[in-house]
Amino acid sequence: MPDVSADGRMPIVDVTEPMGESGSRPVSQSPSAPTAAPISESRAARRAAREERRRNPILPPIATERRLTLVPATAVFALLLALATAADHALGAAAIAWGGLVVAWGWPELMGSSSRFGSSLAIGLAGVLAPTAVALTPDEPYLRHVPVVVALALLSMFMHQLLRRDGRPRLTQSLAVSGAGIAVAAIGAAYVPLGRTSGGREVVTVVMAALALSAVADLGAPFARARSWMLPVAGAIALVVGGVAGLFVDVVGWPSGALLGVVAGTLAHVMRRTLCTLSPIRGMRGQITAAAASVLVTAVPVYLLSRILVG
C-alpha cells in the first residue's frame, strides 16, 4: 500500500516513460504502423531489361560446349531416312520407327523423367505404331489412323502412372516428359506418306540433304563470336543446299527446294539448341536422342509444304 503524506493526500507518481541513455524518449511503435511499399519497376525499365537480355543473352555454360556426336548423328539419320524413303515407303516407315525407338530410348533420361520405363514404353508405342499404321493404310488420307495411335499411347502413359508403386514423385513432370516424347515420335510419321505420293520421295531427299548439311552450324557453339550467328548460318546453309538440290530434281525445283530446306534446317537447329541446355546432353545417348528428335520434328511442316508446293 502506498505511503500517505501528513495531510492525507496520496503522493504524485510519475508515470512518464523513462529516458533513454541518450536523453531522448523512446518512440513507441504501433503494430498498425504502415510499412514502406516495395518500389515497382517501371515499364520503361522492364523494357530496357528485356532489350539488354535480347542483345546479350545469358546462356548456361553447357549450351556453349562442343557436341561432336550430335552433328554426325543428325547427318546419319537424315541420310538413312532419305535412302529408305527413296527405296520404298515401307522402308521409310521402318526408318521412322527406328527414330521413334531412339527417342523412346533416350528422351526420358534427357528430360529427367522420374518414371523412365513407363515413359519409354508410351513413347516407343507411338514411335512404332504411328509409322506402321500410315504404311498399312491403303488409300488417302494416309494419316487418318495416327490420332488413334496417339490416343493409345496416352492411355498407356496414364495407365502406367496408375500402376506405379513408388508414390508417384514429380507426377506432373513425368506426364509432361511422356507427352512431349509421344508428340515428337508421332510427328515423324508424317514423312511416311511422302514415300507414296507423287514427288514425295524427291522432297524427302532434298529436305534431308539440307537438314544434314545445316547441322554443321552446331559446331560454332564454343565460339562466342560465332554463337549468335549459328541460327542464321544454319538457315542459310539449308536454303542454299535445298535450292541446289531442287535444281537437280525437276519435280521439286529450286524455289520449293530452298523453302523446304530452310524450314526444315532451321526447325531442326532450334530443336537441337534447345535440348543442348540439358545436362544429359553431355553423354552420347543424349546427343543421339536429340539428333533423332530434331529430324522427326520437321515432318509435319515438310509434309504440308510439299502438298502445297509439289502436290
Side-chain angles (χ1 to χ4, degrees), residues 93 96-104 107 119-120 122-132 146 149-150 153 177-192 271 292-293 296-297 299:
I96 294 296
W98 180 82
L101 289 176
V102 170
V103 173
W107 188 267
S119 297
S120 295
I123 297 170
L125 188 65
V128 173
L129 291 185
T132 302
V146 173
V149 174
V150 173
V177 170
S178 300
I182 290 171
V184 171
I187 283 173
Y191 271 123
V192 180
M271 184 69 172
L296 295 177
V297 80

Side-chain angles (χ1 to χ4, degrees), residues 124-150:
L125 188 65
V128 173
L129 291 185
T132 302
V134 177
L136 295 177
T137 301
D139 52 6
E140 293 194 11
Y142 296 113
L143 299 174
R144 62 178 180 267
H145 295 131
V146 173
V148 179
V149 174
V150 173

Side-chain angles (χ1 to χ4, degrees), residues 59-263:
L59 293 175
I62 192 173
T64 63
E65 299 174 1
R66 182 181 286 108
R67 309 290 171 213
L68 296 179
T69 304
L70 183 58
V71 174
T74 302
V76 167
F77 183 45
L79 179 62
L80 173 66
L81 180 56
L83 293 176
T85 304
D88 187 73
H89 76 276
L91 292 178
I96 294 296
W98 180 82
L101 289 176
V102 170
V103 173
W105 168 61
W107 188 267
E109 179 182 349
L110 185 62
M111 292 293 174
S113 174
S114 60
S115 179
R116 295 179 183 177
F117 175 78
S119 297
S120 295
L121 183 63
I123 297 170
L125 188 65
V128 173
L129 291 185
T132 302
V134 177
L136 295 177
T137 301
D139 52 6
E140 293 194 11
Y142 296 113
L143 299 174
R144 62 178 180 267
H145 295 131
V146 173
V148 179
V149 174
V150 173
L152 290 175
L154 291 175
L155 179 61
S156 68
M157 176 186 72
F158 287 114
M159 287 297 297
H160 165 71
Q161 296 298 333
L162 291 175
L163 297 175
R164 288 176 65 180
R165 293 293 180 265
D166 56 354
R168 302 191 191 105
R170 295 183 293 167
L171 175 61
T172 303
Q173 182 191 22
S174 178
L175 290 173
V177 170
S178 300
I182 290 171
V184 171
I187 283 173
Y191 271 123
V192 180
L194 294 178
R196 309 177 65 180
T197 57
S198 176
R201 297 180 181 184
E202 291 79 3
V203 167
V204 175
T205 301
V206 170
V207 168
M208 291 301 113
L211 195 152
L213 292 179
S214 65
V216 177
D218 292 19
L219 299 177
F223 307 102
R225 293 185 178 180
R227 202 172 297 138
S228 59
W229 292 95
M230 289 173 60
L231 180 60
V233 168
I237 293 175
L239 178 72
V240 173
V241 173
V244 172
L247 286 174
F248 295 95
V249 181
D250 296 334
V251 178
V252 180
W254 72 265
S256 299
L259 180 58
L260 288 166
V262 70
V263 169

